[in-house]
Amino acid sequence: MLRTHTCGELKIADAGKKVTLSGWVQRSRDLGGMTFIDLRDRYGITQLVFNMEVNPTLCQEARQLGREYVVSIEGHVTERSNKNLKMPTGEIEITVEKFTVLNVSKTPPFTIEDNTDGGDELRMKYRYLDLRRNINKTNLELRHKMSVETRNYLSDQQFLEVETPYLIKSTPEGARDFVVPSRMNPGQFYALPQSPQTFKQLLMVAGYDRYFQIVRCFRDEDLRADRQPEFTQIDCEMSFVTRDDILDTFEGLAKHLFKKIKNIDIHDFPRMSYDEAMTRYGSDKPDIRFGMEFVELNALVKGKDFKVFDDAELVVGICVKDCATYTRKQLDELTDFVRKPQVGANGMVYVKYNEDGSFTSSVSKFYTDHDFVAIAHAMGAHENDLMLLLAGNAEKTRKALCELRLEMGNRLGLRLNDDYKPLWVIDFPLLEWDEDSQRFYAKHHPFTAPKPEDIPLLDTNPIAIKANAYDLVINGVEIGGGSIRIHNKELQKKMFEILGFTDEDAQNQFGFLMNAFEYGAPPHGGIAFGFDRFCAVFGGSDSIRDYIAFPKNNSGRDVMIDSPSEISQQQLGELAIRVVSS
Amino acid sequence: MLRTHTCGELKIADAGKKVTLSGWVQRSRDLGGMTFIDLRDRYGITQLVFNMEVNPTLCQEARQLGREYVVSIEGHVTERSNKNLKMPTGEIEITVEKFTVLNVSKTPPFTIEDNTDGGDELRMKYRYLDLRRNINKTNLELRHKMSVETRNYLSDQQFLEVETPYLIKSTPEGARDFVVPSRMNPGQFYALPQSPQTFKQLLMVAGYDRYFQIVRCFRDEDLRADRQPEFTQIDCEMSFVTRDDILDTFEGLAKHLFKKIKNIDIHDFPRMSYDEAMTRYGSDKPDIRFGMEFVELNALVKGKDFKVFDDAELVVGICVKDCATYTRKQLDELTDFVRKPQVGANGMVYVKYNEDGSFTSSVSKFYTDHDFVAIAHAMGAHENDLMLLLAGNAEKTRKALCELRLEMGNRLGLRLNDDYKPLWVIDFPLLEWDEDSQRFYAKHHPFTAPKPEDIPLLDTNPIAIKANAYDLVINGVEIGGGSIRIHNKELQKKMFEILGFTDEDAQNQFGFLMNAFEYGAPPHGGIAFGFDRFCAVFGGSDSIRDYIAFPKNNSGRDVMIDSPSEISQQQLGELAIRVVSS
């Protein structure tokens, strides 16, 4: 090794030792007769000192070292006179006796600091320099630890990690596939997996009982912020289980990660039906770190000549504690917020329950104080609280109020990064009706089993069927989702029929799975976690990109390696394809 | 859970317990008043017993259960009268009181037994049934354990697992890429990585110090037996190291695996130069489980009027102990063997050192007993030994003799599966000259550093340069290979020049890496192990396919899911490509 120690490990107890360190020049300070250099490696920073009086030649040479030069130094560990107790190595420095420049560096296009002066685009282009920043290193170390602990837990629970193929078969159902032309089979294509769903089910048919894989998945979607064309899943499946076995097992995984990574003990996760989550929070991924739950007010507010409420399918509000003193300006900001297209409300009604017991409201001409008392009572509001009400189409209004609730949570500091409140959302609808194509789509995927008691509805009222499906939600973020699968060929066939597949389509696309179900498929179910997002939630960040070593931008490009790119005519020819100019 | 225990865990101590088991019907035997069923799950087999006298209805129903039916049973653990001590559960059976058929099964197209009646093609088509066979389960369990222990060892050594992208950029150097058309960037393509080589080097530039990843790689090559278009590597890289640091670290990994997986302690691995390996064994991946080393005989055999030897560039032989009694037929077989096209010799000369001290040889008219004594002395042959000699072009002859040596090793039972003899082969040539294209190719890859002392030869005699590269070989199989990398932009540029890249080519394909080297690249090096092959060697098999859950056939097809396949015109249109009919 070109070092005896790393830059993160020398302590006061090492004083006097002769050491060799290697690393990067983080910064350099000339203080008259002394030159100090912070030498950085993955493990930390150690201060080097060069003394002009003791060794003027060496000190002069050290002054030539630029930022990000790679050097190897030899010297003795010395106790610092001016200790920095915030740094693990802050009690010592190295009195350098000799150094070698292992490589020079041009001046980086941005500073390698937590608060860098480099913009997003520049940092992506020079991602190998961006990754030197402490924050990115911490994120990737967290990701590593998450994967280690995930594997430890699942291996201890008898799960086998089985690698499934990346070159599979394109299926039109679901999101768009990335495809790979086959040179050996001209005119034919592989697809990259959107998930190993069918393979993990086949592994259950094969008797593997407990499978997992930390695996890359691919979706050729138009990228919104925080979507990546390739992303990583913790993909899991179990046999001979009921839903609660799966919830218990993976609640165990989440608790294990909270304990091992963040040293937090988390009690049993609440389980909330989809309907309840929609009613109480207007979301199937509620942030339950704070209350401010929805209160439906139709019965109290209708028939008082306020047309907006009278015409509304749903009038629903939240009670914001201790905010009756909100100013006109603050309330206008909130109205502007709910009117944003991505929130989608037409307006907002407020009712202030003033400290003196009176009410101030944007709709006071329609409602008496007596009405407001009733509303306040229904909403659990007291003096000094602010009630915010939205009205309109039920689904849209819930969505808008959900956004408003989260906004108020942010404004009031109720969404703390280090407060973790996971829950299971269960009993999702099995199907969604699509007006455009006039057909049902599977809300989860076509292999999801209905709740056993709802199976008769397949023939009578499919849209009312609840799926035996579940999501793990942490702090308003969907971390994972799964379901008990259909393991019966007839039921699977019926499901494909309801989804509008012809027999031929179903056979073409999923014939191998349906055939497999004829040879003794066990009852099974599973779950998949978005690993990038899991890491982001643990890291306290909104952006999965911060937890991916080499992410792509919103056009699906890797700007560092400049990909995708054109390929040669010879390659195209070998693959028997041609590019069609637009 | 639809069980209280698995089918592998009940012991005599559990006798009397009431249990629920779930699994597959492995086999069923009716013995007059009793019916015995072997119930199988991933963990083992447990015998169920149904008694016609005690419960005739249940017993009758049990007799209807077909092979591979999935059932859940309830009953009591009972001591067997007829114990089978070869089975972990062989002292008990379950007296069944109740059972439920969880799923039926058609009769499988082949038997689910270690020695199945199913051919390769049929088993691949029904891979989910093939995987039920014990041998495949054992292989995938071994693979899981290998990955767990690899990760444990490397994580303990401070390696970070970092996921690198699968959608990267096509580079013409090396094998053929699989490519992925980009819908969002029409006319442009991603490539699937042949290895994460450039990304792991960028991670070293980024200061990550120790990286690893168990990662899928892709090569669009014509498939020979035991090649797969997608395969898995243990990919590793380290900074601030010399070659020996890397060899020590990964020798540690191999020893860890031998100890943890096979409970074998292996001493330090020998290190042998490429030249020495070629001279002693005619191979850069010698099987050193047995001797029979090459002895070069030019000095002893030339000038005796035997034209074949006189004209040969090299005459080289092996001494086969105690085989002077080989018959004419046996010797003819060996001659036929060396003449096979894949071995490539024109003929074989034998010299028997008979028990009575005389010599019998196919070339006795050219050589005296005195000559044979000298040859025998050179070859370390004694009475009763057989000497086998080949002659011709040095490279071809070494290759052919290598094959003959391995054949003799097989015939004499010297290549034992449970005898592991790893070694490092080092000091490979840096370059190969290709006559067809009249250019040098990198023997390892273009990022491999020359041995420091050979750098001056870049300008004068490139073909003589040794690379700072190394392979890990176990029992004649190359398990892994790597090198110290070039970390200096000028040297990398020179390397590309020697390989015939124009500046523009080099910049287009590897510009991002060469640019990265301008910003403080540390000295670094690494290694990649073929994980599929590593597993096969540990499992004592020649075939990597046995260690892959869902392998492809020699045409790159997955016959189970019938992939690759055609995609829709709409998909082609979105991707701006067209299939060219041949």
Side-chain angles (χ1 to χ4, degrees):
Chain A
M1 298 291 299
L2 307 182
R3 66 187 176 213
T4 55
H5 297 77
T6 70
C7 296
E9 68 179 303
L10 292 168
K11 300 278 148 58
I12 190 77
D14 299 300
K17 276 190 192 157
K18 185 168 187 194
V19 298
T20 305
L21 300 183
S22 293
W24 285 262
V25 173
Q26 175 75 18
R27 63 180 72 81
S28 177
R29 297 180 305 286
D30 294 334
L31 300 179
M34 313 278 268
T35 289
F36 295 96
I37 287 180
D38 284 351
L39 191 70
R40 185 196 71 232
D41 67 11
R42 183 181 120 197
Y43 312 93
I45 284 181
T46 298
Q47 178 166 293
L48 312 179
V49 58
F50 301 80
N51 192 315
M52 201 65 188
E53 279 178 31
V54 177
N55 194 335
T57 317
L58 196 76
C59 191
Q60 287 291 6
E61 283 169 8
R63 288 179 179 184
Q64 307 305 313
L65 294 173
R67 275 203 287 141
E68 302 305 317
Y69 272 47
V70 187
V71 296
S72 181
I73 65 99
E74 276 180 47
H76 280 84
V77 182
T78 323
E79 184 170 359
R80 276 204 215 180
S81 53
N82 194 0
K83 292 187 175 133
N84 177 351
L85 296 179
K86 288 185 199 152
M87 281 176 70
T89 63
E91 294 191 82
I92 58 96
E93 61 194 7
I94 312 294
T95 307
V96 179
E97 282 128 33
K98 194 173 141 189
F99 74 84
T100 314
V101 175
L102 297 172
N103 218 336
V104 298
S105 174
K106 297 209 293 198
T107 303
F110 51 84
T111 53
I112 311 293
E113 303 281 356
D114 285 357
N115 289 311
T116 178
D117 56 358
D120 196 52
E121 209 166 321
L122 195 63
R123 285 187 291 108
M124 282 302 130
K125 180 162 179 192
Y126 295 91
R127 181 64 169 167
Y128 46 86
L129 298 179
D130 192 31
L131 287 174
R132 286 184 188 167
R133 293 168 58 230
N134 210 43
I135 185 158
N136 286 319
K137 199 192 67 185
T138 307
N139 290 351
L140 293 184
E141 284 173 348
L142 170 69
R143 188 179 178 112
H144 171 75
K145 276 186 227 148
M146 296 273 290
S147 73
V148 167
E149 290 301 336
T150 298
R151 288 190 162 100
N152 284 349
Y153 175 84
L154 292 173
S155 297
D156 285 351
Q157 301 279 325
Q158 306 287 325
F159 284 79
L160 281 186
E161 186 159 24
V162 179
E163 295 170 59
T164 55
Y166 281 120
L167 295 173
I168 66 165
K169 184 172 170 147
S170 190
T171 57
E173 191 67 8
R176 212 181 274 109
D177 285 323
F178 282 104
V179 298
V180 181
S182 166
R183 181 181 54 85
M184 289 208 276
N185 304 274
Q188 300 192 331
F189 295 78
Y190 302 100
L192 300 179
Q194 296 184 27
S195 87
Q197 182 65 33
T198 50
F199 289 96
K200 68 177 176 176
Q201 294 195 244
L202 290 171
L203 285 170
M204 294 304 103
V205 174
Y208 282 68
D209 204 68
R210 295 180 168 212
Y211 145 92
F212 85 102
Q213 189 181 189
I214 300 185
V215 62
R216 205 71 53 85
C217 303
F218 304 85
R219 272 181 213 171
D220 186 11
E221 291 177 326
D222 295 317
L223 301 175
R224 300 193 307 241
D226 220 29
R227 280 278 180 93
Q228 288 280 316
E230 48 177 313
F231 55 97
T232 302
Q233 271 183 199
I234 307 171
D235 193 50
C236 310
E237 199 79 3
M238 303 171 78
S239 289
F240 302 116
V241 288
T242 61
R243 183 196 70 190
D244 286 354
D245 297 319
I246 295 188
L247 300 195
D248 291 345
T249 303
F250 293 99
E251 188 166 316
L253 169 62
K255 286 178 183 172
H256 177 84
L257 292 174
F258 277 116
K259 183 67 188 172
K260 290 285 182 176
I261 308 278
K262 306 197 76 80
N263 197 26
I264 297 175
D265 291 296
I266 296 208
H267 297 291
D268 288 349
F269 302 180
R271 296 176 187 186
M272 190 184 295
S273 76
Y274 171 86
D275 287 344
E276 184 182 347
M278 294 308 289
T279 307
R280 288 172 61 189
Y281 300 98
S283 169
D284 60 1
K285 39 179 197 278
D287 184 345
I288 59 169
R289 279 175 296 183
F290 63 108
M292 231 185 270
E293 290 186 22
F294 287 17
V295 180
E296 301 194 356
L297 300 166
N298 283 14
L300 295 175
V301 299
K302 291 210 173 203
K304 308 280 180 170
D305 292 335
F306 180 43
K307 194 166 172 351
V308 173
F309 283 2
D310 284 349
D311 292 351
E313 183 185 355
L314 177 67
V315 181
V316 57
I318 52 175
C319 170
V320 188
K321 287 281 152 207
D322 298 326
C323 287
T325 53
Y326 258 39
T327 61
R328 180 87 233 164
K329 181 160 167 285
Q330 286 174 304
L331 292 166
D332 285 348
E333 274 174 18
L334 295 180
T335 305
D336 290 346
F337 174 84
V338 298
R339 282 185 173 148
K340 286 199 292 185
Q342 62 270 38
V343 179
N346 291 321
M348 182 188 81
V349 165
Y350 67 84
V351 182
K352 292 179 178 178
Y353 197 160
N354 298 314
E355 199 158 19
D356 62 4
S358 68
F359 293 93
T360 315
S361 169
S362 48
V363 293
S364 46
K365 65 174 153 176
F366 299 105
Y367 298 94
T368 64
D369 272 10
H370 185 74
D371 294 330
F372 286 136
V373 167
I375 294 171
H377 182 72
M379 297 186 76
H382 298 98
E383 286 86 348
N384 217 22
D385 290 351
L386 172 68
M387 292 167 270
L388 301 175
L389 279 56
L390 300 182
N393 160 286
E395 191 181 327
K396 283 188 183 164
T397 302
R398 285 201 180 98
K399 178 183 170 302
L401 191 61
C402 168
E403 296 296 330
L404 179 60
R405 174 178 174 271
L406 295 177
E407 172 69 13
M408 293 313 302
N410 288 337
R411 283 178 181 237
L412 301 175
L414 303 174
R415 307 182 71 193
L416 299 172
N417 263 343
D418 54 357
D419 178 27
Y420 291 95
K421 289 280 156 58
L423 80 157
W424 291 103
V425 178
I426 57 178
D427 296 351
F428 281 81
L430 182 69
L431 300 164
E432 290 177 309
W433 178 256
D434 183 62
E435 279 298 330
D436 290 343
S437 54
Q438 288 285 306
R439 55 163 279 202
F440 287 113
Y441 279 88
K443 193 164 166 77
H444 192 57
H445 56 53
F447 314 110
T448 298
K451 296 200 81 177
E453 61 271 28
D454 288 357
I455 289 178
L457 296 173
L458 280 167
D459 293 315
T460 56
N461 188 12
I463 198 72
I465 301 170
K466 298 295 181 193
N468 213 343
Y470 32 79
D471 278 358
L472 177 61
V473 175
I474 303 179
N475 295 358
V477 179
E478 182 205 323
I479 294 297
S483 62
I484 296 294
R485 323 301 183 184
I486 298 168
H487 67 282
N488 172 289
K489 186 182 169 162
E490 291 311 311
L491 186 55
Q492 186 67 66
K493 209 175 146 193
K494 183 156 217 163
M495 189 67 189
F496 281 130
E497 278 166 26
I498 289 176
L499 294 173
F501 283 58
T502 65
D503 273 4
E504 199 193 342
D505 284 349
Q507 193 58 41
N508 265 344
Q509 290 176 37
F510 301 109
F512 58 98
L513 187 61
M514 288 197 294
N515 294 342
F517 285 174
E518 297 196 296
Y519 291 98
H524 62 289
I527 194 166
F529 298 92
F531 186 55
D532 310 290
R533 198 163 300 283
F534 216 157
C535 294
V537 165
F538 265 64
S541 162
D542 289 333
S543 167
I544 63 169
R545 206 173 285 188
D546 296 343
Y547 295 82
I548 296 175
F550 299 101
K552 293 185 177 55
N553 73 11
N554 281 349
S555 317
R557 294 199 70 81
D558 182 327
V559 294
M560 178 185 70
I561 65 172
D562 191 26
S563 163
S565 59
E566 290 180 9
I567 60 174
S568 70
Q569 284 304 318
Q570 189 194 334
Q571 279 177 290
L572 291 169
E574 286 180 343
L575 297 170
I577 57 172
R578 183 181 297 159
V579 170
V580 182
S581 37
S582 51
Chain B
M1 297 290 300
L2 307 181
R3 65 188 177 214
T4 55
H5 297 77
T6 70
C7 296
E9 68 179 304
L10 291 169
K11 301 276 147 60
I12 188 78
D14 299 300
K17 278 190 190 158
K18 182 166 188 198
V19 298
T20 305
L21 300 183
S22 293
W24 286 261
V25 173
Q26 175 75 20
R27 63 181 71 83
S28 177
R29 297 180 304 287
D30 294 334
L31 299 179
M34 313 279 267
T35 290
F36 295 95
I37 288 181
D38 284 350
L39 190 70
R40 184 195 73 230
D41 67 10
R42 184 181 119 196
Y43 312 94
I45 284 180
T46 298
Q47 179 167 293
L48 312 179
V49 61
F50 300 80
N51 192 315
M52 202 65 187
E53 280 178 31
V54 176
N55 194 336
T57 318
L58 196 75
C59 191
Q60 288 288 8
E61 282 170 9
R63 286 178 181 184
Q64 308 306 312
L65 295 173
R67 275 204 288 141
E68 302 304 318
Y69 273 45
V70 187
V71 295
S72 182
I73 65 101
E74 276 179 47
H76 280 83
V77 182
T78 322
E79 185 170 358
R80 278 203 215 180
S81 54
N82 194 2
K83 292 190 175 127
N84 177 350
L85 296 179
K86 287 184 199 151
M87 280 176 72
T89 63
E91 294 190 82
I92 58 97
E93 61 194 7
I94 312 294
T95 308
V96 179
E97 282 128 33
K98 192 174 142 191
F99 74 84
T100 314
V101 175
L102 297 172
N103 218 337
V104 298
S105 175
K106 297 209 294 199
T107 303
F110 50 85
T111 53
I112 313 292
E113 302 281 356
D114 285 357
N115 290 311
T116 179
D117 56 358
D120 197 50
E121 209 165 321
L122 195 63
R123 286 187 292 107
M124 283 300 129
K125 180 161 180 198
Y126 295 91
R127 180 65 169 166
Y128 46 87
L129 298 178
D130 192 32
L131 287 174
R132 286 185 188 166
R133 293 168 59 231
N134 210 43
I135 185 158
N136 286 319
K137 200 193 65 182
T138 306
N139 289 351
L140 292 185
E141 284 174 348
L142 170 69
R143 188 178 177 112
H144 170 75
K145 276 186 225 147
M146 295 275 287
S147 74
V148 167
E149 291 302 335
T150 298
R151 286 190 163 100
N152 285 349
Y153 175 83
L154 292 174
S155 296
D156 285 350
Q157 301 279 324
Q158 306 287 325
F159 283 79
L160 280 187
E161 187 160 23
V162 179
E163 295 171 59
T164 54
Y166 281 119
L167 296 172
I168 66 163
K169 184 173 172 149
S170 188
T171 58
E173 191 68 9
R176 212 183 275 107
D177 286 322
F178 283 104
V179 298
V180 181
S182 166
R183 182 181 53 87
M184 289 209 274
N185 304 273
Q188 301 192 330
F189 295 78
Y190 302 100
L192 300 178
Q194 297 184 27
S195 88
Q197 182 66 33
T198 50
F199 288 97
K200 68 176 174 175
Q201 293 195 244
L202 289 171
L203 285 170
M204 294 304 105
V205 175
Y208 282 67
D209 205 70
R210 293 179 169 214
Y211 145 93
F212 85 103
Q213 190 182 188
I214 301 185
V215 63
R216 206 70 53 84
C217 302
F218 304 85
R219 272 181 213 170
D220 186 11
E221 290 177 326
D222 296 318
L223 301 175
R224 299 194 307 242
D226 219 30
R227 279 278 179 96
Q228 287 281 315
E230 47 177 315
F231 56 95
T232 301
Q233 270 184 200
I234 308 171
D235 193 51
C236 309
E237 199 79 4
M238 304 171 78
S239 290
F240 301 117
V241 288
T242 62
R243 183 196 69 190
D244 285 354
D245 297 319
I246 294 187
L247 300 195
D248 291 345
T249 302
F250 293 98
E251 188 166 315
L253 170 63
K255 286 178 183 172
H256 176 85
L257 292 173
F258 277 117
K259 183 66 188 172
K260 290 284 180 175
I261 309 278
K262 306 197 77 77
N263 197 26
I264 298 175
D265 290 295
I266 297 209
H267 296 292
D268 289 349
F269 301 179
R271 296 176 187 186
M272 190 184 294
S273 76
Y274 171 87
D275 287 344
E276 185 181 347
M278 294 308 289
T279 306
R280 288 171 60 189
Y281 300 98
S283 170
D284 60 1
K285 39 179 197 277
D287 184 344
I288 59 170
R289 280 176 293 185
F290 63 107
M292 232 186 268
E293 291 186 24
F294 288 17
V295 181
E296 301 195 357
L297 299 166
N298 282 17
L300 295 175
V301 299
K302 292 208 171 207
K304 309 280 180 171
D305 293 334
F306 180 42
K307 196 168 170 349
V308 173
F309 282 2
D310 284 349
D311 291 351
E313 183 186 355
L314 176 69
V315 181
V316 59
I318 51 175
C319 171
V320 188
K321 288 279 153 210
D322 298 325
C323 287
T325 53
Y326 259 38
T327 61
R328 179 86 232 165
K329 180 157 168 287
Q330 286 174 302
L331 292 167
D332 284 348
E333 274 172 17
L334 295 180
T335 304
D336 290 345
F337 174 84
V338 300
R339 281 185 174 148
K340 286 200 291 186
Q342 61 270 41
V343 179
N346 292 321
M348 184 189 77
V349 165
Y350 68 83
V351 182
K352 292 180 178 178
Y353 196 160
N354 299 315
E355 199 158 16
D356 62 5
S358 67
F359 293 92
T360 316
S361 170
S362 49
V363 292
S364 49
K365 67 174 153 175
F366 300 105
Y367 298 93
T368 63
D369 272 9
H370 185 73
D371 294 328
F372 286 135
V373 167
I375 292 170
H377 182 71
M379 297 185 75
H382 299 97
E383 286 85 347
N384 217 22
D385 291 350
L386 172 68
M387 291 168 272
L388 301 175
L389 279 57
L390 300 182
N393 160 285
E395 192 181 325
K396 283 187 184 165
T397 303
R398 285 201 180 99
K399 178 183 170 302
L401 190 61
C402 167
E403 296 297 329
L404 179 61
R405 173 178 174 270
L406 295 178
E407 172 69 15
M408 294 313 301
N410 288 336
R411 284 178 179 238
L412 301 176
L414 303 174
R415 305 182 71 192
L416 300 173
N417 262 343
D418 53 357
D419 178 26
Y420 291 94
K421 288 280 157 58
L423 80 156
W424 291 104
V425 178
I426 56 176
D427 298 350
F428 281 82
L430 182 70
L431 300 165
E432 291 177 307
W433 178 256
D434 182 63
E435 279 298 330
D436 290 342
S437 53
Q438 288 285 305
R439 54 162 280 202
F440 287 113
Y441 280 89
K443 193 165 166 77
H444 192 57
H445 56 53
F447 314 109
T448 298
K451 298 200 78 175
E453 61 271 29
D454 288 358
I455 289 179
L457 296 172
L458 280 168
D459 293 316
T460 56
N461 189 11
I463 199 71
I465 300 171
K466 297 296 183 195
N468 212 343
Y470 32 79
D471 278 357
L472 177 62
V473 175
I474 303 179
N475 295 358
V477 179
E478 182 204 326
I479 295 296
S483 62
I484 296 293
R485 322 301 183 185
I486 298 169
H487 67 283
N488 172 290
K489 184 180 171 164
E490 291 311 310
L491 186 56
Q492 186 66 66
K493 208 173 146 193
K494 184 158 216 159
M495 190 66 189
F496 281 129
E497 278 167 26
I498 289 175
L499 295 173
F501 282 57
T502 64
D503 274 4
E504 200 192 341
D505 285 348
Q507 192 59 40
N508 265 344
Q509 291 176 36
F510 301 110
F512 58 98
L513 187 62
M514 288 197 293
N515 292 343
F517 284 174
E518 297 197 293
Y519 291 98
H524 63 288
I527 193 165
F529 298 92
F531 186 54
D532 310 291
R533 197 163 301 284
F534 216 156
C535 293
V537 165
F538 266 64
S541 162
D542 289 334
S543 167
I544 63 169
R545 207 173 285 189
D546 296 343
Y547 296 82
I548 296 175
F550 299 101
K552 294 186 174 56
N553 73 8
N554 281 349
S555 316
R557 294 200 70 82
D558 182 326
V559 294
M560 177 186 71
I561 64 171
D562 190 26
S563 164
S565 59
E566 290 182 9
I567 60 174
S568 70
Q569 285 304 319
Q570 188 194 335
Q571 278 177 291
L572 291 169
E574 286 181 341
L575 298 171
I577 58 172
R578 184 181 296 160
V579 170
V580 183
S581 39
S582 51

